[in-house]
Amino acid sequence: MSDEIVLQELYVRNFRNIKSATLQFSCDINHVFGKNAQGKTSLLEAIFFCMSGMSFRTSSLKQLIRHDEPGFYLEARFKKLGVYQTLSISFEGKKRRVALNMRPCQSTSIILGLLQGVVCTPEDLQLIKGPPQVRRRFLDLHISQFEPLYVHHLNRFRRALRQRNALLRSQKMSLLSIFEYELARSGAYIAHKRKEACEAIKKYAQNHAKEMNLYSFDLCYAPSIEICTTLNETLEHYRELLSSKRQHDSKMHSTEFGPHRDDIDLLFNERPLQEVASEGQSRLCALALKFSEWDVLKNKIAMKPLLLIDDVVSCLDSEKRERLVTFCSGFGQTFITSHEPLHHNSKRYFVESGQFVVHR
């Protein structure tokens, strides 16, 4: 049986509407309930920030700072592979500062892959109905949690893409080949890893969908370039494509082919899911994707990662709500938020105005 990652304690200061809170968690299900805008989602957002170094609600870190405060501070104490560790993150309006076991870290990228987990939110419906960049971001964050080299290639690809696009706009065509090699090298790696991830997620997603009475759910990676048998073949193919499309791309002032244009095809009854599925079916398919992400991550790291479920149960009837919570008991340490207390054996917190009280 795989080990588990356990978040034992979290200290939050001046994060969203939470002025100051210290919470100790159960290693099983932790349930936070209360009215809207009281701090439920803020708590899960703080946990997710410790997992990823980012928010699942905004790209602006300044929005995470409590009103009229200079910055926020998070400290997570957790156990992984039997070792107790402490991660602290602060942000004071300009730069994130990260320390692991009281030692300052040179790069914030250390956060990824340290406290791994998956978050489910009502906004996951955008995985089904939203634009391709939502699905690309889903894959990128997923792979980054178990493939450190992926983050390196993702950053390098983005830099090379910006540089090539700048040259296209300025019509400096003679310099393009320098950045096209970097673009092709990292782009090929990204495409192969995304395809592998989609194939792994698909195996679990179809089973989870069947558990939710959805029997015709399918997905596959939809790259904008051909993915060849080997990484080197894909690299050369992409490099040749970039070279042959220079005149076309110069007219568009942008690079029209590559991982930044890829998508995931989601199907229901062999037709595009977003065209034929109801909103309820779409939400269940999004949950199936997220649960499958957790399954793949568990296999990759040989541990049970964290599972965060923010207000997803509110859109379900009472029977399905309790069934979902019971289902989640097999996922290891889980954090669930809802408006009302759930009738389930869990550690429960009631939250009001950013204050958390253990509910007996």
Side-chain angles (χ1 to χ4, degrees), residues 241-260:
L241 183 64
L242 289 168
S243 178
S244 67
K245 296 293 183 179
R246 286 175 184 174
Q247 292 301 320
H248 172 271
D249 287 352
S250 68
K251 293 177 183 177
M252 303 301 293
H253 292 176
S254 65
T255 303
E256 296 294 296
F257 302 91
H260 60 299

Side-chain angles (χ1 to χ4, degrees), residues 191-346:
H192 274 260
K193 288 299 177 181
R194 283 181 180 173
K195 183 181 179 183
E196 289 175 13
C198 279
E199 290 171 350
I201 288 171
K202 175 180 177 176
K203 294 177 183 178
Y204 292 102
Q206 290 181 327
N207 288 332
H208 284 307
K210 287 176 183 176
E211 291 166 356
M212 301 172 188
N213 296 320
L214 300 171
Y215 292 94
S216 300
F217 178 54
D218 198 7
L219 68 99
C220 63
Y221 185 46
S224 64
I225 62 171
E226 181 184 352
I227 299 179
C228 305
T229 305
T230 69
L231 189 60
N232 283 336
E233 288 173 339
T234 303
L235 188 161
E236 289 304 321
H237 168 71
Y238 188 23
R239 192 179 179 186
E240 291 171 5
L241 183 64
L242 289 168
S243 178
S244 67
K245 296 293 183 179
R246 286 175 184 174
Q247 292 301 320
H248 172 271
D249 287 352
S250 68
K251 293 177 183 177
M252 303 301 293
H253 292 176
S254 65
T255 303
E256 296 294 296
F257 302 91
H260 60 299
R261 301 292 189 189
D262 295 351
D263 201 353
I264 304 175
D265 283 340
L266 300 170
L267 304 173
F268 191 61
N269 290 326
E270 299 183 348
R271 295 177 62 191
L273 181 62
Q274 59 185 358
E275 294 179 7
V276 297
S278 67
E279 181 160 329
Q281 289 171 327
S282 295
R283 288 192 180 278
L284 291 175
C285 288
L287 266 179
L289 283 174
K290 286 292 186 166
F291 289 159
S292 302
E293 180 189 2
W294 188 93
D295 288 321
V296 174
L297 186 55
K298 176 193 169 200
N299 285 341
K300 289 290 185 179
I301 67 176
M303 287 177 283
K304 288 184 177 181
L306 305 181
L307 179 63
L308 282 57
I309 303 179
D310 182 37
D311 207 26
V312 173
V313 297
S314 298
C315 62
L316 305 175
D317 59 44
S318 58
E319 181 182 347
K320 289 180 180 177
R321 192 181 305 152
E322 296 298 331
R323 193 189 312 163
L324 175 62
V325 177
T326 301
F327 177 69
C328 289
S329 62
F331 278 80
Q333 191 179 31
T334 303
F335 300 83
I336 300 177
T337 69
S338 66
H339 296 150
E340 302 294 333
L342 300 172
H343 302 291
H344 192 275
N345 185 23
S346 59

